[in-house]
Amino acid sequence: MTELPWVIETRATTRRRNPIWGVLALVASALCGASFLVGMGIAWVDLDGLVFWLLPVWGIVTLLAIAFAITAFVKRGSANITMAAISGGLLVISNPVVFLIVALGLGLLQ
């Protein structure tokens, strides 16, 4: 039995995955990490009011990073899955709730 040429052509092609979602997840997670460092620096200098202005922006960027990481994981591809895993690890470390616990525990925020 012979197969039609278009069947053979569709079997030979591999689908390329777009890594843009993984890149967006990494960028958003890097912004969360930067927000963590900026928040700790601001709290260290006793500018507590500025920290509370930073928290809503930080929360929105965190939610975007989570959405991008989930989308990258769903889109598959080794690059997307790797970047989603790295993004998830960065989000665990630079979570705003972790910052509040650490800053309140150290007495940086009053």
Side-chain angles (χ1 to χ4, degrees), residues 4-66:
L4 298 173
W6 63 271
V7 174
I8 295 170
E9 290 173 7
T10 56
R11 287 185 184 163
T13 60
T14 58
R15 205 172 132 196
R16 291 209 24 116
R17 308 251 192 258
N18 191 354
I20 189 67
W21 295 108
V23 171
L24 287 173
L26 282 178
V27 168
S29 295
L31 286 174
C32 285
S35 296
F36 180 80
L37 294 176
V38 167
M40 286 300 269
I42 290 173
W44 191 265
V45 186
D46 293 330
L47 297 172
D48 297 341
L50 290 177
V51 173
F52 293 108
W53 282 97
L54 176 68
L55 285 175
V57 175
W58 190 358
I60 291 169
V61 173
T62 301
L63 291 176
L64 283 174
I66 291 169

